[in-house]
Amino acid sequence: MNVSEEDPQPTRRRQADRSAATRAQLIAAARGLFAERGYAAVGTEEIVRAAGVTRGALYHHFAGKEALFAAVYEQIETELTEGMAAEAFAALQNGGPWAAIEVGSNLFLDASTDPEVQRIVLLDAPAVLGWEAWREVAEQHGLGLTETVLQAAMDAGEIDPLPLRPLALVLMATIDELALYLARAPDPVEARAQAGEIVRRVLGGLRERKG
């Protein structure tokens, strides 16, 4: 190869790095604005100014504001799931499967008191993306973890064997509804206590041995 010719591989890598950095800037800027004021109150021009990029860059990476919002929602769900998985794994190692179930359930309720999670994940996402899309993303991130800890609890004899998928879906739906309740509650402290007691009772019902 002629030494004066630039190797295309490093050039492509630099371009990919710049593209990834621009996308990350847009997501970070939009995330802060959406969390502060909500989806409807934020315009694309404001997002590109906050990100320090051009409007064309936004539409190069995303079809529009809704697609950018979906990326923000996906990022938060990923962070929540990774955090809960780490804590649940630690609880599994130290206290067993049942401890992992309790820890994971309460961690999500705790996260649901965070203003960013409330605004983006619980209030805006179902309205902007639609209920089905909202549930689909939540299940993509949380269903596998929920099934894993429930299966471990069944294998350990801590709960009776039950059909795994529907059990995981019912548990997730219960916690999701409690999270939505927390996001709208006028008294967050009281609501969190109520949600914690309901989860304790629901989980306790799974431990009631039959026969």
Side-chain angles (χ1 to χ4, degrees):
M1 184 181 77
N2 189 325
V3 293
S4 65
E5 295 178 359
E6 185 176 6
D7 185 348
Q9 292 301 323
T11 300
R12 282 196 288 267
R13 283 196 295 270
R14 286 194 297 271
Q15 290 172 343
D17 289 343
R18 284 196 296 269
S19 180
T22 299
R23 188 177 192 277
Q25 286 170 240
L26 284 163
I27 291 174
R31 179 170 173 170
L33 292 168
F34 291 150
E36 181 182 358
R37 299 208 313 278
Y39 176 85
V42 176
T44 55
E45 195 61 43
E46 186 177 8
I47 293 170
V48 298
R49 283 200 307 269
V53 302
T54 66
R55 191 176 183 85
L58 187 154
Y59 288 104
H60 173 74
H61 289 278
F62 302 99
K65 188 172 78 162
E66 182 178 325
L68 177 54
F69 177 85
V72 170
Y73 170 48
E74 183 88 29
Q75 183 182 74
I76 296 173
E77 280 284 1
T78 299
E79 292 172 1
L80 288 173
T81 302
E82 289 176 351
M84 286 188 291
E87 294 289 340
F89 180 75
L92 183 65
Q93 298 299 304
N94 296 321
W98 190 253
I101 293 172
E102 291 182 318
V103 165
S105 300
N106 281 288
L107 277 174
F108 188 72
L109 291 180
D110 288 340
S112 300
T113 65
D114 180 87
E116 179 185 64
V117 174
Q118 289 183 341
R119 168 58 66 182
I120 294 176
V121 175
L122 300 172
L123 297 178
D124 280 351
V128 174
L129 305 177
W131 185 264
E132 290 299 324
W134 177 72
R135 287 288 299 164
E136 182 180 355
V137 172
E139 288 177 11
Q140 285 174 354
H141 287 276
L143 185 57
L145 175 61
T146 304
E147 288 182 334
T148 297
V149 293
L150 286 172
Q151 186 63 63
M154 286 188 243
D155 293 342
E158 294 186 330
I159 61 176
D160 283 332
L162 291 167
L164 182 60
R165 178 58 58 89
L167 177 59
L169 289 172
V170 166
L171 182 56
M172 284 186 64
T174 299
I175 295 172
D176 281 345
E177 286 299 325
L178 288 171
L180 291 168
Y181 170 71
L182 288 175
R184 296 176 172 87
D187 186 338
V189 175
E190 180 184 8
R192 178 63 183 87
Q194 292 171 343
E197 177 61 17
I198 290 169
V199 166
R200 189 184 70 80
R201 295 290 187 95
V202 169
L203 294 180
L206 289 176
R207 300 200 80 177
E208 293 178 1
R209 308 296 297 169
K210 309 301 181 186

